[in-house]
Amino acid sequence: MLSLRPLLPVLLAVALAGPAEASAAAQADGIETARSGRQIAPGIRLESYDRLEADRWLRIDEVLVDLGGRGGVRAEYLGGHGPATVAEAAARHPAGPGRRVVAAVNGDFFDIRGTGAPLGPGLGGGRLLHSATPGPGAAPAVGFGADGIGRVLRIALDGSVTLPGGAVRPLAGYNAARPPAVGLAAYTADWPGAELPAVGTAVAVRDGRVTTAAPPVRSPARRERPAPGTTVLTAAGGAAAAELAALRPGDAVAVAARALADAGPVPVAAVGGREALVVAGVPQNHDGEPNNTAAPRTAVGFSRDGRRLRILTVDGRQRDSGGLTLTALGRLMHRLGAVEALNLDGGGSSTLLAGLSGATALALENSPSDGRLRRVSNGLVLTAPAGSGRTAGYRVEPVGGTTEDLTRVFPRLTRTLTATGYDALLGPAPGAPVWSADGAGTVDSAGVFHAVRPGRATAHARRTTAHGAVPQGELPQGELPLEVLGPLTRIRPTQARIGLAEQGESAGFRLTGYDAQGAAAVVEPQDVALEFDRSRWRVTDDGHGGFTVTALVPKATGRLRATVRAGGAAGAAGAPGSGSGLTTELALGVGLVTFPVTDLADVADWTGPGASAAEGHPGAGLALELTGAAAQGSAAPPRPLPVPELARSLTLWVGGDGSGARPAVELADADGAAVTVRGPAVDWTGWRELTLPLPATAEPPLSVTRLSAVGGTGPGRLALDTLGARTPPTGPAAAPVVRDPIVATEAGVRARPWRFAVEPAGGSRAGTGDGGADFVLTGADRPEFVHRGVRFLPLDTTRPTLGGGGLDRMRALHKALAAAARDPATGALAVVRADAPDTVDRKETALTAHLLAEFRRTTGKRAAVLTLGAPAFVAGRSEGVLSVAAPRTGRTLVGVDAFARRDWLAVRQAP
């Protein structure tokens, strides 16, 4: 999935990167490609940015916190009462009188397959909540003192048990996730896990007296959390267990436990971590050590004086963000200014929540790799003063978000706005605003903006009693810049087909409109009339600028027709430029049917180790012999097999041998990334049909690249047959044909001041005498050059985006954009590249298009992308940037006028 962050033109102007310390990351080996930020509370700021490295995309969210300052920010221990999502824990965190929760992040590594308790130490409210596992030794943590100042330190357990008669025994564990193998451990109501770990001998102590003696224990038993005021002493065996077993109700037993810091005072709040990332200003090298793989990450770092806290999450295990190694994470934290930094739990646990001005709930900022919030053991929470509750301003945004396509609108159509009041400390403040607008539209009392004519507009939300200072970075009193595009010329749904698996299931879509230059904006439900079979489907406004489709029957197909209302919901019928009457259609379907992917009739053409033709179920099948130390086999089809785009799962017939081998289907997603779905261990004999769910995070369309199997307890032989896809049947999607005005006749092309031709390599190079072309492009392998006002930038597309190619191409584009912007004799920039869909990923393509659009908008000059060797001829535009895909056969002639007032290219494909 492509990042939804705004793609700011950071490659065009480094100054847009924000604060000096925030731009440090942009000076590393990669380049920053997008940035957004906001103030969360006084003393707390969120910076979110995307980066392109030589081998991956990265999405990074960073919370910058001033500790111990006038903002009154505190970092506190979060959770501690059993696994919960960060959102659940933050919602119930007691911030205290006059304070509120403003941000939260996941914390320590934890016993994920056992008790769910954290593995490191934890302190909250000045009390030791739990010690580290294993043993009482010092373990790494981040801690915060009574003055709010933070640091990385090591925390040990200093504990003892005084038995009847005065004998004192050391305490080996206190609410530890895993009980010590030797010695005594104590568990209290502060136990942070789901249930106590399996223990051997145990007694309960309350008010210094044994209340329950140890019952005979023949095997370890799990126990419930102790009641408040009760301490459960446990021992796994040996002398400690014998001493516990000798205790009787009423015996005097004293338990003491406190935290011991390696240096300095014991912090008031602390959360454990694991690997040191930066020590005394030196980033640490974890090469060759465990956990040093690219993964989602959470880290915490501090300035030298501990007053500057930096909380950072890096998304990973996603095509949009590949994650970081520990070594790379340490280098990043060091570049950002951390003198000390510690790695917290990462992977699917990485979660960052942050507040919005005036909001009562926190918003999820990162993209957890599990696709949902994971239940974790603990975390860190930031609290700040609650504020007065008196309105100091409004956060104004369109319903559905602040993406560019929602801050635009077409003439005679509408955009619904919301205004959330905030006080001087950015906390919630009630009160309805008074709306107004200036520029190219009006806004009514309900906050609905009505676009009148193309141009810029600003919507204002004010309250006459508003007072108080507005924090830096916030728009005073609430303003939202809006852009009214040119007249609406076409619309299309964000997805052409909606397939639902069963009755009652829902899915959403939006309608996107385009003006004549290809600039896009969402068309809201109130500006649209829908036609569909209401006995089979329910379609409603989703409240976020789109629609929700719900199936009312278990099986059906149909179509939904959307038509832009005349002049919008409240405009005049037939108003010029309203786009009234424009339509688009979606195909609908509910109920799963099995579409064939392959029946293996061509099994003789499949190749791979251990693969051979075999009797199928019925007909031809594929056998995989699992031999050797690895006990694995695989077979690839002669060409990738397409999977229906809406498929929910795959079906595969497997002839089992009871060996425990696991079959798998290997696929490639839309960007060529590998996706593998595995079946269960084959513990049966004979034929059985398996259903293999496709991961929701896989980016369609998918294609099958291989069938494989891995052995179980030894060698085996699996037979495979008939691969299918369980898919809702929607029928064909509508395919509107759009002819762009730059497609011209030969006479129209020749009417331009000069021309160039595009043709396959090895074709004619007759030059100026051939069709009047100044030159012929046959590939993207020539150097950058300027010709009659056009700067041509050929980009090498032989290396993949995530193999260094993307980074080199973006750097070359940056230089060309800067040169074209400075040169008054240059009227246009044309990017030339060979068609390479398996090499240049979609995110690089989108970034290139955005940078060219920003170049066009900020300089007034023209831009185009010329793709050579495409499967078919295509010409169009997006955001005013022209695109021409020249086919692998034939000649494409392009007429050029770099300084034309309107379209500067005219294109004709030779018949």
Side-chain angles (χ1 to χ4, degrees):
M1 174 182 302
L2 298 180
S3 172
L4 297 181
R5 288 192 185 128
L7 289 173
L8 300 179
V10 292
L11 297 183
L12 296 176
V14 175
L16 293 180
E21 73 272 20
S23 64
Q27 309 308 318
D29 293 338
I31 54 176
E32 187 176 305
T33 62
R35 178 176 288 269
S36 60
R38 70 174 187 268
Q39 202 74 22
I40 297 172
I44 309 177
R45 183 168 179 81
L46 172 70
E47 290 289 329
S48 301
Y49 45 97
D50 293 2
R51 290 180 57 80
L52 173 60
E53 306 291 343
D55 61 346
R56 72 197 66 201
W57 293 95
L58 290 176
R59 283 196 309 241
I60 301 171
D61 293 284
E62 180 185 1
V63 176
L64 308 170
V65 187
D66 290 325
L67 297 171
R70 286 183 289 181
V73 181
R74 296 178 193 163
E76 303 171 5
Y77 184 96
L78 176 66
H81 297 286
T85 67
V86 176
E88 292 168 343
R92 62 180 180 233
H93 180 76
R99 300 187 66 80
R100 63 190 179 97
V101 170
V102 293
V105 70
N106 70 291
D108 201 357
F109 293 79
F110 60 100
D111 186 16
I112 192 170
R113 293 180 177 85
T115 62
L119 299 177
L123 287 84
R127 296 187 300 110
L128 175 66
L129 301 177
H130 52 86
S131 65
T133 295
V142 291
F144 303 88
D147 57 359
I149 306 303
R151 71 188 198 269
V152 176
L153 73 163
R154 298 184 71 86
I155 297 175
L157 169 64
D158 180 17
S160 63
V161 178
T162 303
L163 298 172
V168 179
R169 303 286 182 259
L171 195 61
Y174 184 77
N175 286 327
R178 298 165 187 161
V182 178
L184 295 171
Y187 293 92
T188 72
D190 288 329
W191 163 246
E195 57 182 6
L196 293 187
V199 296
T201 304
V203 301
V205 177
R206 189 177 183 87
D207 297 329
R209 299 285 176 177
V210 175
T211 60
T212 304
V217 176
R218 293 182 174 85
S219 62
R222 293 189 180 273
R223 302 172 185 271
E224 295 181 356
R225 181 192 309 274
T230 296
T231 299
V232 174
L233 286 174
T234 72
E243 287 181 314
L244 288 186
L247 296 175
R248 297 292 179 266
D251 286 350
V253 174
V255 181
R258 66 186 184 96
L260 189 65
D262 60 347
V266 175
V268 172
V271 168
R274 186 179 288 174
E275 295 90 354
L277 299 173
V278 183
V279 177
V282 178
Q284 302 298 290
N285 187 346
H286 292 272
D287 291 351
E289 298 178 7
N291 197 31
N292 193 36
T293 59
R297 297 292 181 184
T298 301
V300 174
F302 298 97
S303 59
R304 191 173 302 279
D305 61 3
R307 293 181 177 274
R308 186 71 161 169
L309 165 66
R310 193 177 303 272
I311 300 172
L312 183 137
T313 59
V314 182
D315 291 342
R317 298 173 186 161
Q318 303 169 50
R319 189 68 174 179
D320 215 20
S321 188
L324 287 177
T325 65
L326 290 174
T327 301
L329 182 63
R331 291 172 182 165
L332 174 60
M333 293 296 287
H334 177 255
R335 289 198 303 267
L336 293 171
V339 176
E340 302 286 341
L342 184 68
N343 181 50
L344 303 185
D345 191 14
S349 300
S350 286
T351 307
L352 178 65
L353 304 175
L356 293 162
S357 301
T360 56
L362 304 183
L364 176 65
E365 299 299 332
N366 72 320
S367 178
S369 62
D370 287 354
R372 63 185 184 280
L373 296 187
R374 175 183 288 182
R375 293 166 62 84
V376 297
S377 64
N378 63 9
L380 280 173
V381 63
L382 301 179
T383 68
S388 65
R390 296 190 298 270
T391 306
Y394 289 94
R395 172 169 50 87
V396 182
E397 56 189 5
V399 166
T402 55
T403 54
E404 186 176 47
D405 58 356
L406 281 165
T407 57
R408 293 168 159 184
V409 61
F410 296 100
R412 305 294 181 180
L413 299 187
T414 60
R415 181 68 68 231
T416 304
L417 309 178
T418 63
T420 304
Y422 57 83
D423 62 23
L425 300 184
L426 302 185
V434 175
W435 289 97
S436 63
D438 51 46
T442 63
V443 62
D444 62 26
S445 60
V448 177
F449 176 80
H450 299 263
V452 176
R453 61 185 180 277
R456 300 284 175 174
T458 303
H460 304 271
R462 293 187 175 90
R463 193 177 183 199
T464 55
T465 58
H467 62 280
V470 178
Q472 184 179 4
E474 295 292 328
L475 294 170
Q477 297 302 310
E479 296 180 355
L480 180 69
L482 295 164
E483 181 182 5
V484 181
L485 301 176
L488 180 63
T489 60
R490 60 187 176 96
I491 59 170
R492 69 171 182 84
T494 50
Q495 53 203 72
R497 297 183 297 162
I498 290 182
L500 306 172
E502 59 188 4
Q503 181 178 354
E505 187 175 70
S506 299
F509 72 94
R510 281 180 174 176
L511 289 176
T512 303
Y514 300 87
D515 69 8
Q517 289 299 318
V522 170
V523 178
E524 287 195 10
Q526 61 188 349
D527 292 331
V528 176
L530 301 178
E531 299 175 56
F532 58 92
D533 187 341
R534 284 171 167 75
S535 68
R536 296 182 173 188
W537 320 96
R538 181 172 63 248
V539 184
T540 56
D541 184 337
D542 67 4
H544 301 285
F547 301 86
T548 299
V549 178
T550 304
L552 302 180
V553 294
K555 291 186 181 296
T557 60
R559 304 193 76 79
L560 181 150
R561 184 181 179 88
T563 304
V564 177
R565 299 179 191 271
S578 67
S580 60
L582 289 176
T583 65
T584 189
E585 288 190 353
L586 291 81
L588 306 177
V590 59
L592 297 177
V593 297
T594 302
F595 285 87
V597 175
T598 178
D599 60 2
L600 289 170
D602 61 347
V603 66
D605 297 325
W606 289 58
T607 57
S612 62
E615 184 177 348
H617 181 75
L622 172 70
L624 295 179
E625 298 286 347
L626 313 178
T627 59
Q632 60 185 16
S634 65
R639 65 193 61 80
L641 304 172
V643 176
E645 191 166 347
L646 300 180
R648 300 296 186 89
S649 61
L650 300 176
T651 60
L652 179 67
W653 280 94
V654 177
D657 61 352
S659 66
R662 295 189 65 189
V665 181
E666 300 177 28
L667 309 102
D669 72 3
D671 290 319
V675 178
T676 301
V677 292
R678 302 185 186 280
V682 178
D683 56 2
W684 66 87
T685 58
W687 288 96
R688 180 179 296 181
E689 188 178 35
L690 302 181
T691 298
L692 310 175
L694 290 167
T697 54
E699 191 68 37
L702 304 174
S703 58
V704 176
T705 58
R706 191 177 302 274
L707 298 179
S708 61
V710 178
T713 56
R717 181 180 187 274
L718 293 186
L720 308 176
D721 194 10
T722 313
L723 179 67
R726 296 284 288 166
T727 309
T730 64
V737 177
V738 178
R739 180 183 174 91
D740 194 275
I742 65 170
V743 179
T745 63
E746 184 167 352
V749 172
R750 293 183 181 279
R752 297 300 174 114
W754 66 276
R755 289 155 297 288
F756 68 91
V758 181
E759 63 182 33
S764 169
R765 288 178 174 268
T768 58
D770 185 5
D774 287 22
F775 59 85
V776 178
L777 284 177
T778 60
D781 53 353
R782 63 187 297 179
E784 180 179 346
F785 65 98
V786 179
H787 186 83
R788 299 182 67 172
V790 181
R791 181 176 294 272
F792 287 86
L793 174 65
L795 293 178
D796 176 15
T797 57
T798 58
R799 284 197 301 157
T801 301
L802 302 186
L807 191 57
D808 289 344
R809 289 187 286 270
M810 285 299 106
R811 285 175 171 158
L813 178 58
H814 174 210
K815 293 178 181 178
L817 289 169
R822 290 192 302 264
D823 183 10
T826 297
L829 173 69
V831 172
V832 183
R833 64 187 185 189
D835 182 61
D838 295 331
T839 302
V840 180
D841 72 20
R842 292 173 302 124
K843 193 167 182 179
E844 182 189 339
T845 299
L847 177 58
T848 300
H850 178 82
L851 292 173
L852 291 174
E854 285 294 314
F855 167 79
R856 177 181 178 273
R857 184 183 65 82
T858 56
T859 67
K861 299 185 178 186
R862 313 307 179 84
V865 176
L866 308 176
T867 303
L868 312 184
F873 173 78
V874 178
R877 70 190 71 207
S878 175
E879 304 295 333
V881 177
L882 305 180
S883 62
V884 178
R888 299 165 186 164
T889 58
R891 161 176 284 228
T892 302
L893 190 64
V894 183
V896 186
D897 183 353
F899 300 96
R901 295 187 62 183
R902 298 180 66 83
D903 286 339
W904 64 285
L905 293 183
V907 185
R908 178 183 180 273
Q909 181 192 10

